[in-house]
């Protein structure tokens, strides 16, 4: 899934002043092995189950085992050394997650708990996020399925935007994401789910009449404002000048396509940052990627100054946008549901952790939004 929130993480080791670097032949494992991690899980499980009756304990242990089987692969993917398992604070949180797993018969809860534990490893240095994650773990077995879906929809609408510069591709990404979040369930129509989430400290409901959510017709064009670019009018003097500049410096005109929201206009499909634009040259040896020359960059900068002027209040573009939006069943459903929300609320760190865990369980390629 192509979302603009993806981050490339690089790790490197540097030696400071008066420090010594040692080269070791073979692999050096300064973390914890998978077997040691499983032993830690079993030790914490024993503590978590010590007050359970024998028969209940057998059910609880089976559920905890399901959690363990989901946690370890995710942790190994994040950190092959499993270093977090050596942290006493994480071990205590692991025990809380095991108790929550033992208390729930829902398979989806084990997935959410495993993602929350992964979040804890990712946010090891962020005390505020760690607190939200810890509180979220405590209420996983109490949260209603439909309330969690509704919370995740609101979170996704407010946080995720597609990375594609093409409108049809971007809306398709959102439609598929919302489909996975909704999971063929019916979204709630009353306000009881909000009251339920407020009791669990996942949201804070605003007093009625004090505030309200912006209607989707106002909110979404602001969220997706990059699709409301002015473009270039065909047969205009500006467009003719751009074509002349591109032809002069050898820029292919395939970077233009008809504007999806405005008849008689074209728009650029390239990056807004000229340093991120490359030309592809086909040779007998294969395709070569070359950076733009100084003259080519200047031509793009001129075209960009016209094309990427944004106007999300253009009536023609907004009408066209909503016609296209309504062609996607899940986007249509979200728009109708959102516009009927009765009360405004804020999502708390607990709610953010829950929504993050639920959504990433449905679409693992999505990065954490913390």
């Amino acid at each position: 899934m192509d979302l603009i929130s993806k981050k490339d993480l690089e790790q490197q080791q540097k030696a400071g002043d008066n420090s010594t670097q040692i080269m070791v032949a073979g692999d050096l494992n300064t973390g914890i092995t998978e077997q040691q991690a499983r032993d830690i899980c079993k030790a914490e499980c024993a503590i978590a189950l010590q007050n359970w009756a024998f028969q209940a304990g057998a059910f609880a242990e089976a559920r905890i085992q399901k959690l363990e089987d989901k946690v370890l692969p995710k942790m190994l993917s994040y950190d092959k050394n499993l270093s977090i398992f050596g942290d006493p604070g994480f071990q205590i949180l692991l025990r809380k997650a095991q108790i929550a797993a033992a208390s729930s018969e829902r398979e989806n809860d084990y997935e959410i708990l495993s993602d929350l534990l992964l979040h804890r490893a990712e946010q090891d240095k962020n005390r505020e996020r760690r607190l939200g994650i810890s509180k979220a773990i405590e209420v996983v077995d109490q949260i209603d399925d439909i309330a969690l879906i509704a919370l995740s929809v609101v979170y996704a609408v407010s946080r995720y935007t597609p990375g594609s510069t093409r409108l049809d591709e971007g809306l398709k990404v959102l439609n598929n994401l919302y489909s996975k979040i909704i999971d063929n369930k019916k979204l709630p129509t009353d306000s009881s789910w909000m009251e339920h989430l407020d009791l669990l400290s996942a949201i804070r409901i605003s007093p009625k009449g004090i505030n309200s959510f912006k209607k989707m017709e106002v909110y979404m064009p602001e969220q997706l404002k990059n699709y409301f670019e002015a473009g270039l009018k065909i047969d205009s003097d500006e467009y003719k000048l751009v074509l002349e500049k591109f032809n002069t410096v050898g820029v292919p005109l395939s970077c233009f396509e008809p504007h999806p929201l405005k008849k008689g206009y074209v728009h650029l499909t390239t990056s807004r940052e000229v340093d991120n634009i490359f030309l592809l040259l086909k040779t007998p040896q294969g395709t070569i990627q070359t950076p733009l020359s100084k003259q080519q960059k200047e031509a793009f900068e001129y075209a960009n100054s016209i094309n990427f002027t944004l106007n999300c209040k253009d009536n023609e573009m907004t009408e066209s946008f909503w016609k296209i939006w309504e062609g996607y069943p899940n986007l249509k459903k979200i728009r109708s549901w959102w516009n009927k929300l009765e009360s405004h609320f804020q999502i708390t760190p607990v709610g953010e952790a829950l929504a993050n865990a639920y959504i990433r369980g449905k679409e693992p390629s999505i990065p954490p939004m913390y």
Side-chain angles (χ1 to χ4, degrees), residues 165 167 171 216-231 259-262 267 272 306-322 325:
T165 59
L167 177 63
L171 294 186
M216 188 68 78
E217 291 76 14
V218 176
Y219 186 70
M220 194 51 66
E222 294 175 352
Q223 285 288 94
L224 304 181
K225 61 184 179 182
N226 287 340
Y227 292 128
F228 291 82
E229 59 201 19
H259 200 302
L261 301 179
K262 211 166 185 179
H267 76 128
R272 289 155 178 76
I306 307 169
N307 180 82
F308 292 131
T309 301
L310 302 178
N311 186 5
C312 59
K313 294 184 180 180
D314 183 292
N315 290 333
E316 180 183 350
M317 285 198 283
T318 54
E319 287 179 10
S320 298
F321 175 82
W322 288 114
W325 178 281

Side-chain angles (χ1 to χ4, degrees), residues 144-177:
D144 176 74
D145 286 332
I146 301 302
L148 178 57
I149 290 174
L151 170 69
S152 299
V153 167
V154 174
Y155 183 83
V157 168
S158 61
R159 293 300 183 93
Y160 295 122
T161 56
S164 176
T165 59
R166 289 182 165 85
L167 177 63
D168 57 342
E169 293 178 359
L171 294 186
K172 183 178 179 180
V173 166
L174 289 180
N175 186 70
N176 290 340
L177 175 62

Side-chain angles (χ1 to χ4, degrees), residues 56-100:
F59 282 109
E61 190 170 359
R63 293 171 179 174
I64 292 173
Q65 183 62 51
K66 291 181 180 179
L67 172 63
E68 180 183 322
D69 291 341
K70 291 182 179 295
V71 167
L72 284 175
K74 293 179 181 181
M75 290 297 187
L76 282 167
S77 178
Y78 173 71
D79 176 15
K80 66 180 181 180
N81 291 323
L82 297 173
S83 305
I84 193 68
F85 280 87
D87 179 356
F90 179 79
Q91 292 178 9
I92 293 173
L93 191 65
L94 174 62
R95 192 187 312 161
K96 287 184 177 181
Q98 289 173 330
I99 293 173

Side-chain angles (χ1 to χ4, degrees), residues 94-250:
L94 174 62
R95 192 187 312 161
K96 287 184 177 181
Q98 289 173 330
I99 293 173
S103 303
S104 177
E105 77 288 350
R106 294 183 300 192
E107 292 287 335
N108 194 46
D109 285 355
Y110 314 139
E111 191 74 47
I112 294 173
L113 287 166
S114 66
D115 273 307
L116 286 169
L117 289 172
L118 176 60
H119 291 356
R120 170 60 176 80
E122 294 169 337
Q123 300 297 319
D124 188 37
K125 305 301 180 183
N126 190 325
R127 296 178 69 90
E128 180 183 352
R129 294 299 181 190
R130 283 162 45 188
L131 176 60
I133 292 165
S134 178
K135 295 294 184 182
I137 285 175
E138 293 176 3
V139 301
V140 164
D141 65 315
Q142 302 171 45
I143 192 167
D144 176 74
D145 286 332
I146 301 302
L148 178 57
I149 290 174
L151 170 69
S152 299
V153 167
V154 174
Y155 183 83
V157 168
S158 61
R159 293 300 183 93
Y160 295 122
T161 56
S164 176
T165 59
R166 289 182 165 85
L167 177 63
D168 57 342
E169 293 178 359
L171 294 186
K172 183 178 179 180
V173 166
L174 289 180
N175 186 70
N176 290 340
L177 175 62
Y178 294 150
S179 174
K180 292 178 181 180
I181 294 174
I182 297 172
D183 195 25
N184 295 317
K185 303 294 194 307
K186 189 174 181 180
L187 292 170
T189 56
D190 57 15
S191 60
S192 61
W193 66 276
M194 297 184 192
E195 296 168 2
H196 172 68
L197 292 175
D198 189 64
L199 284 173
L200 296 176
S201 299
I203 65 172
R204 296 190 185 95
I205 301 178
S206 301
K208 288 187 177 180
I210 298 297
N211 202 354
S212 62
F213 285 109
K214 290 182 179 179
K215 295 301 181 182
M216 188 68 78
E217 291 76 14
V218 176
Y219 186 70
M220 194 51 66
E222 294 175 352
Q223 285 288 94
L224 304 181
K225 61 184 179 182
N226 287 340
Y227 292 128
F228 291 82
E229 59 201 19
L232 296 103
K233 186 176 182 180
I234 297 174
D235 294 332
S236 68
D237 291 339
E238 289 176 326
Y239 182 49
K240 291 176 182 178
L241 181 57
V242 169
L243 294 181
E244 182 182 338
K245 287 178 178 290
F246 276 25
N247 280 320
T248 301
V249 298

